[in-house]
Amino acid sequence: MIWIVAYLSSVLGALLTLVAMTIIRNDTRHNVGRLGWMGLILLTPPIGLLLFLWLGGRKISAEHASRRLVDLPKDDEDVPDHGDGFESLLQARGLRPPTIGNQFEILTEVHNVYNAYLDMIDQAEEAIYVMTFIMDERESSEEIVERLCRKARDGVQVRLLCDGFGSFQMSDDQLEAIREAGGKARRFKPLSKLSRLAYLNYRNHRKLMVVDGKKAILGGANLVQEEIAEDPPKDAWVDLSVRIEGPAAAQLQAVFCSDWNFVTDETLPPSKIETPAEGADCESARLTVVPIGPDGPEEILEDFWQYSIHQAEHRVWICTPYLVPSPSAMRSLELACRRGLDVRLLVPSRSDLWPVDYARYDYMKDLIEVGAKLYRYTDGMVHAKVGLVDDEVALVGSANFDIRSFFLNYELSVAVHDRETIEKLKAWYENLLEKSECGVIDDSLFRRTMSVLVRLFASEL
């Protein structure tokens, strides 16, 4: 009798494993976590299968899947066509032509980002929209909330949206303060129900503030003391945000309105674009707003990077805190190295996520072997997300060069098309290289072993 039970159990386990393998093969694209889930299922078929069905793959709920491409406002004026292949790619994927007449200021210091937030809030006359992935309850965020409350009491329309996962540990006190002052504050898909755990993949990783549809700040900085503070702590992060004033701000506001309308019963109308001043095309930044995620063109971030890397003739420079590229993006970088291009990757020597540091090890080693230059910033945590391709295009925003940003998050970036602005970003990049060391941190057996194990579940990091 016992052997019959054992036989049936083994047959059931084999059948479950086959079912799981078939599901993973059909539903998991780009090898997102495929090897790790297969290993877990082989070791524990029933448990592994249940966990995969609950948490694995590019799982997306019906509500996220139903989102349409953000309707970005269009400039009434005809933007001159520069015949740029990068612009053509983005427009072919459904995005608007680049806007001109934008003032573009790079914010690199923690206190500069903090003061830029406060200044824009104080200057607001009609509306302030703020969106962040993480928000803490320390001095800087409390001051920002106090300024928002003051404006709400003065009749300015105030909206604050923080991610339900990223800000999970934050209490509702600051959100309630804004509501009591007359504004509105929400969490993006809060994790209040167990079912939400099945859809951790689609986090709102965007960081944005828009004022009156005319001015905006976006980048990598969350509303936390390490990234936004008047008196930065010793462990302050190195990040990059940009302050934009001009027609691109109205398009960025449309992204916020789309996210807000998605999680509330309110319908915020997007702002209209104001016609740029004559001559703005040659004097200011030329920008394309790029929403990434279920409300953006499908897989637009990977498409952008593949096209950009293959079109590059001289330089591909990337700064990212988390380096876990997709297989196709990795292949593109390797090919660029073999073509003799100047391929550089700038990462923190140690990030705030140790599993990612182990996962990135093999990628770094492989790229160095084919000629890439890998720089580790040694003076703190680099959280900036920047890409530079020749003097033709740059990408700045919230998106990391990793699988999660490519396929599993809501992200928001701007593509920069004018050489003057690209040159400013290049100078910022070169300045960080002076505080960086070249090569991997070590080549121990422990690190190699951990790299293999962690990389199996790289997509879940």
Side-chain angles (χ1 to χ4, degrees), residues 91 225 235 245 256 295 357-358 410 435:
Q91 292 177 52
Q225 197 76 11
D235 59 348
E245 183 172 352
F256 177 92
D295 61 344
D357 290 349
Y358 285 117
Y410 286 90
K435 299 179 180 179

Side-chain angles (χ1 to χ4, degrees), residues 96-112:
R96 295 298 189 191
T99 59
I100 58 176
N102 296 290
Q103 297 179 26
F104 189 97
E105 179 186 1
I106 298 174
L107 304 172
T108 60
E109 301 294 334
V110 173
H111 67 275
N112 288 340

Side-chain angles (χ1 to χ4, degrees), residues 24 28 123 184 202 215 269 323 334 393 400 417 430 445:
I24 293 174
T28 307
Q123 295 168 12
K184 295 184 179 180
Y202 288 91
K215 304 174 184 178
L323 179 64
E334 290 174 331
V393 70
N400 301 306
H417 304 284
E430 291 175 325
L445 177 61

Side-chain angles (χ1 to χ4, degrees), residues 23-36:
I23 294 174
I24 293 174
R25 179 182 176 86
N26 292 337
D27 290 352
T28 307
R29 302 172 65 186
H30 307 287
N31 293 312
V32 178
R34 181 179 295 177
L35 292 178

Side-chain angles (χ1 to χ4, degrees), residues 117-135:
Y117 263 83
L118 297 185
D119 289 345
M120 281 181 54
I121 291 173
D122 291 343
Q123 295 168 12
E125 298 178 353
E126 299 175 1
I128 306 171
Y129 299 152
V130 182
M131 177 162 51
T132 185
F133 179 59
I134 304 174
M135 186 172 179

